[in-house]
Amino acid sequence: MNTQAEIIAIGNDAVDAQEPMVILFDEHATAAIQDVALIQRFMDETAKKQLTLTTDSAVMINQQPYTITYVGALVNSNLNTIGHVALIFGPAPQEDQLQSGLYLTPAVAGVPAFPEFKVGTQITYQETM
């Protein structure tokens, strides 16, 4: 099953070219969080509440496929309730993985290691590949 979301706002401090990570929340995020996050709107609230990602899942960002290499213990519950996840572009470390993070790597050649995010960016959470 695919769950669609769209970036509707980008906080002033949400994207740092030196840090291959972005933090996403749904549109109910507080003002303080909105300053450091990408705000995503889910197309289907019911699908959001049932979303369950594993390492057999994938994430598409503007039609570019990313493989999930690690799913933090808090990812699914946070996505289901507050639309929150950290997308970390790179391999998961052996220790101290971010428990609210999805570690992503490009699924095919030519996909950028860190995608461009802008208002209107489409994100598809694919539960199984």
Side-chain angles (χ1 to χ4, degrees), residues 24-69:
L24 289 86
F25 276 89
D26 70 14
E27 52 211 307
H28 303 293
T30 66
I33 289 173
Q34 288 181 25
D35 196 45
V36 297
L38 305 177
I39 304 303
Q40 61 181 337
R41 176 180 292 147
F42 285 85
M43 304 302 128
D44 182 341
E45 195 66 25
T46 301
K48 176 188 108 170
K49 291 178 181 179
Q50 297 173 353
L51 186 59
T52 303
L53 298 173
T54 68
T55 54
D56 290 328
S57 305
V59 176
M60 298 278 288
I61 301 170
N62 280 335
Q63 305 300 316
Q64 297 174 320
Y66 290 85
T67 300
I68 297 173
T69 61

Side-chain angles (χ1 to χ4, degrees), residues 74-97:
L74 302 174
V75 166
N76 289 309
S77 62
N78 284 347
L79 271 171
N80 298 159
T81 56
I82 56 177
H84 166 58
V85 66
L87 300 180
I88 304 149
F89 296 90
Q94 293 295 319
E95 298 177 355
D96 297 325
Q97 303 92 347

